[in-house]
Amino acid sequence: MKKIILKNKLVYIFFFYIIFSYFISNNVNLSPETKILNSINWIVSFLFFTSFIFYCIKNNKNPIEFLVYSFVFILFLNLILFSLNVSRSELSLVLGDAILLKNIFAISINRVSFFFGPESPNHMAIFIAMYSPLVFVLKNKSLRYFVLIGILLSLLLIDSRMSIVALFFSILLYFPFKKLKLNFVTKVVIVLTPLFVAILLGVLPLIQSMTSFDLISRDSEDITTANSRTLIWTSVIDNIATLNFNTIFGAGEYGNLTYSSSADYLYLFDNYANAVKSVHNTYLQMILDKGYVFLILFYALLLSLANTLIKNKDDVNIQIYTVTIIVFLISGTTEVIIGSYYFTIIFTILMLHMYINAKYNNLVIQNENKNTRNKL
């Protein structure tokens, strides 16, 4: 257990900084009670997940397999409930048409917000997209294909375009893994992912006038869909351009609300019952909520994980885990998925990090010791 903790010290630093950030926060939108409750949520969740990891490693079990079975249960439970007309129907009415089903299959239906899972359909879609590659951890091939059909149907019903794009792009990267060096692919993803925001700033406002995007464009692509993100990001970038206490250490969750400029875009979401208050970008929200210190810590954690992936690049499971991590990184460019916004997503990544470090670093050490003995 001590060795596992030492090998995953960055995960523990990452976790303690999150708790620390609540108590240094000067965000007037967070009451003392909210800070305490969020801290307790993090502590309880972290203790549960780490205990589960320790148990699985001690008993030579794969915790990811347990997570996938839980995911499969929730996935099909939601689909069954949807078939019985049980979902968050009041939210679906606000979300509008599922454009992919409408434009590809001529099926007119409102976007679905499943009964079990996060209130945000986009977070649910990211959750499903992230777990899609992990389905291949399952040993039963028939079950895999059955689950993949359920995943495809769910993503079409939720109609979150970025999650589908992220999953598609990540699967395309899976095949070069066998020919290209994983360290090259990983470094490219790590460097280019944050720059993806800059590309989106230029591309999203053009969707309305680009006929080639008609298939995935919502009716008129109005301001409350893609274009709103560009408005938010432009406002936020001005806020984080200056170094001060808030930008270095963060202003607490929904840190963007501490800036008066948030009034420039919050009015757009009145129809969403004030459910949308984040900046729709994980990397920008990390700076606003936890500061540049946290962003640097996140990248240190990411590079540590990438180093372990590189050392074990020929392992099939490592390739599967890498696709999931890439889905996470790409999805973070248009949604906030680190913090208390949706625990399951970030804890999946932390569990992957801890399990991969604990298992595969041991394998590397064992192989090095074996090679040393052979030489002697």
Side-chain angles (χ1 to χ4, degrees):
M1 179 175 171
K2 185 178 179 181
K3 290 182 179 178
I4 296 174
I5 293 174
L6 290 174
K7 287 176 183 175
N8 289 281
K9 53 184 176 291
L10 277 175
V11 173
Y12 284 85
I13 295 171
F14 185 84
F15 164 72
F16 283 117
Y17 187 88
I18 288 173
I19 302 299
F20 171 72
S21 68
Y22 282 112
F23 296 98
I24 65 170
S25 169
N26 60 1
N27 188 344
V28 295
N29 296 285
L30 292 177
S31 67
E33 292 80 7
T34 301
K35 293 179 182 180
I36 293 171
L37 285 174
N38 282 349
S39 300
I40 292 173
N41 281 338
W42 272 101
I43 292 169
V44 171
S45 300
F46 189 76
L47 289 175
F48 171 78
F49 279 109
T50 50
S51 299
F52 180 59
I53 287 285
F54 294 149
Y55 167 81
C56 290
I57 292 171
K58 182 179 178 181
N59 293 279
N60 198 28
K61 298 181 183 295
N62 186 344
I64 308 306
E65 192 171 342
F66 284 96
L67 288 179
V68 174
Y69 278 115
S70 300
F71 161 74
V72 171
F73 174 76
I74 295 296
L75 178 76
F76 283 100
L77 179 59
N78 274 325
L79 286 173
I80 291 169
L81 289 174
F82 169 73
S83 68
L84 298 173
N85 202 29
V86 178
S87 64
R88 293 191 178 104
S89 56
E90 71 285 350
L91 188 57
S92 297
L93 291 173
V94 176
L95 295 171
D97 291 335
I99 58 166
L100 294 178
L101 285 174
K102 182 179 180 180
N103 293 340
I104 298 175
F105 302 104
I107 298 174
S108 184
I109 185 176
N110 285 328
R111 295 178 65 194
V112 175
S113 180
F114 285 128
F115 190 80
F116 288 105
E119 185 175 354
S120 165
N122 290 337
H123 280 148
M124 187 65 187
I126 293 169
F127 172 63
I128 293 172
M130 279 178 56
Y131 272 79
S132 300
L134 299 179
V135 169
F136 288 92
V137 172
L138 300 176
K139 298 179 177 63
N140 189 316
K141 289 185 178 180
S142 299
L143 178 59
R144 285 184 205 166
Y145 297 126
F146 184 63
V147 174
L148 288 173
I149 293 171
I151 285 170
L152 177 61
L153 178 59
S154 297
L155 288 175
L156 288 173
L157 288 170
I158 296 172
D159 198 54
S160 175
R161 295 166 294 179
M162 192 60 202
S163 298
I164 296 173
V165 169
L167 180 59
F168 178 73
F169 181 67
S170 302
I171 291 172
L172 288 181
L173 287 177
Y174 171 82
F175 298 99
F177 287 165
K178 297 181 180 179
K179 295 183 180 180
L180 297 175
K181 292 183 178 180
L182 186 58
N183 57 347
F184 172 77
V185 176
T186 306
K187 288 175 181 177
V188 168
V189 171
I190 290 172
V191 171
L192 293 184
T193 297
L195 297 180
F196 195 57
V197 178
I199 297 172
L200 289 176
L201 277 169
V203 172
L204 288 180
L206 301 177
I207 290 179
Q208 183 178 354
S209 59
M210 296 171 70
T211 56
S212 56
F213 281 96
D214 284 347
L215 188 67
I216 62 170
S217 180
R218 304 201 193 285
D219 293 340
S220 80
E221 197 63 34
D222 61 22
I223 192 67
T224 56
T225 55
N227 291 347
S228 63
R229 286 173 168 80
T230 63
L231 177 64
I232 295 170
W233 296 340
T234 301
S235 173
V236 167
I237 288 172
D238 287 338
N239 296 149
I240 64 176
T242 304
L243 289 179
N244 52 44
F245 182 88
N246 278 357
T247 56
I248 294 174
F249 296 105
E253 290 190 356
Y254 297 108
N256 51 302
L257 301 183
T258 63
Y259 295 95
S260 59
S261 59
S262 62
D264 295 342
Y265 52 83
L266 284 181
Y267 74 92
L268 297 170
F269 305 111
D270 288 341
N271 291 334
Y272 288 80
N274 296 322
V276 182
K277 291 183 179 178
S278 71
V279 299
H280 282 285
N281 180 277
T282 293
Y283 310 101
L284 294 176
Q285 195 77 49
M286 276 196 285
I287 299 171
L288 291 161
D289 294 358
K290 315 293 183 189
Y292 282 107
V293 172
F294 187 76
L295 183 68
I296 293 169
L297 181 59
F298 169 75
Y299 272 100
L301 190 73
L302 193 61
L303 289 170
S304 171
L305 178 57
N307 185 52
T308 306
L309 296 175
I310 291 165
K311 290 178 181 177
N312 301 278
K313 60 184 178 181
D314 296 325
D315 186 281
V316 174
N317 279 350
I318 284 291
Q319 295 175 352
I320 292 171
Y321 301 153
T322 304
V323 174
T324 288
I325 292 164
I326 294 173
V327 172
F328 169 81
L329 292 172
I330 296 175
S331 298
T333 58
T334 59
E335 295 298 332
V336 178
I337 48 181
I338 288 183
S340 298
Y341 301 93
Y342 187 47
F343 278 97
T344 306
I345 291 175
I346 183 57
F347 272 110
T348 296
I349 297 300
L350 293 179
M351 283 186 71
L352 271 173
H353 188 288
M354 291 186 71
Y355 175 65
I356 290 170
N357 264 351
K359 179 179 179 179
Y360 290 93
N361 278 334
N362 279 338
L363 289 178
V364 170
I365 292 170
Q366 289 171 9
N367 290 334
E368 288 175 350
N369 291 339
K370 184 177 180 181
N371 292 334
T372 302
R373 285 195 299 269
N374 291 337
K375 288 178 182 179
L376 294 175

